[in-house]
Structure formats: C-alpha cells, structure tokens
Amino acid sequence: MCDRTVTNTGNTEKQREPFGRITFALGVMLFPISMVFLTVIGALHFGHTSLTVQFFTGYFAAASFQIVVLLSVTRKLVVFIWNCKLDPDNVAIPFVTAMGDLVGTAALTAAFVVLKRIGDGDDDVGD
C-alpha cells in the first residue's frame, strides 16, 4: 500500500488510487487476525481475564478504533511527508508505530475500564 500511495502521490498526473478498497481490506483483516490471537491467548491460558462476549466486544471496539485512527492519520501523514520531499518509509513508520502503541494502549485501557464498570472484570488481575 505504501509504495503505491507514494508513487501515485508524487505523480503529476491525476490518477485515482483505490484508497477505499485498500482501507477496507486492511480493516477486514482485523477480525480473523484478532480471532486467531484471542484463540491462542485463551488456549494457552495467557493473561488474567476471562474471554467473555463482553470482552470480545470491548476488544474489537478498541482494535477497530485503533485501525480507523491509524489508517486515517497514516494516509494524510504519508502525503504530507512525500510533499516535503522526504522518504515516507524512513519518516512515517516510526510515527505510525508510536501512535499505534499509544492509541492501542489507550483504547484497551478504556475497554477494560468499561468492562470493569459493567461487572465483567476479573478480581484476580494483578495477583
């Protein structure tokens, strides 16, 4: 995606890039990848939370929020960096990675706070 975005952004011709399809494809990958991740976590008994329907809902809400924010900001950031005559691979990747960590941690924290308030929290967290 980045190579095609950068190539067409720097191009002087007016070409329409299918950003909507790319964004949709990346968003659709969230569900199956998350299911595999959560299945492995549950099967190996990692973590201190029960895998309930409420947990899955909170997790997917947090992950979806993170994906929407990252894809929106990344597209604008790459175009801006390209217009500054810099290489987006060298400049954007550290920013997007750090933002992903920050947004993901904040979203998961919010999801756990909501789960705790609705009574889906585990009492053994931190033991």
Side-chain angles (χ1 to χ4, degrees):
M1 178 182 145
C2 289
D3 292 337
R4 290 176 33 187
T5 302
V6 170
T7 303
N8 285 342
T9 304
N11 204 344
T12 57
E13 298 176 19
K14 296 286 184 185
Q15 293 181 349
R16 179 148 170 84
E17 181 65 26
F19 290 114
R21 289 189 304 177
I22 294 168
T23 302
F24 178 76
L26 291 172
V28 167
M29 288 190 316
L30 170 69
F31 185 76
I33 290 171
S34 294
M35 287 304 297
V36 169
F37 174 72
L38 291 174
T39 302
V40 169
I41 296 295
L44 298 177
H45 304 291
F46 289 149
H48 291 282
T49 190
S50 301
L51 299 180
T52 63
V53 172
Q54 291 87 357
F55 175 78
F56 278 100
T57 303
Y59 176 83
F60 285 122
S64 298
F65 175 74
Q66 180 185 21
I67 292 294
V68 167
V69 169
L70 288 178
L71 290 176
S72 300
V73 171
T74 301
R75 179 175 175 208
K76 292 178 175 111
L77 181 65
V78 168
V79 170
F80 173 76
I81 290 171
W82 183 259
N83 288 333
C84 291
K85 307 290 189 224
L86 298 171
D87 182 8
D89 290 337
N90 293 333
V91 178
I93 290 173
F95 284 117
V96 173
T97 302
M99 189 175 8
D101 290 343
L102 180 66
V103 172
T105 301
L108 280 175
T109 300
F112 279 115
V113 167
V114 170
L115 287 172
K116 184 77 169 175
R117 289 200 178 162
I118 65 171
D120 193 47
D122 289 335
D123 293 330
D124 68 339
V125 174
D127 289 343

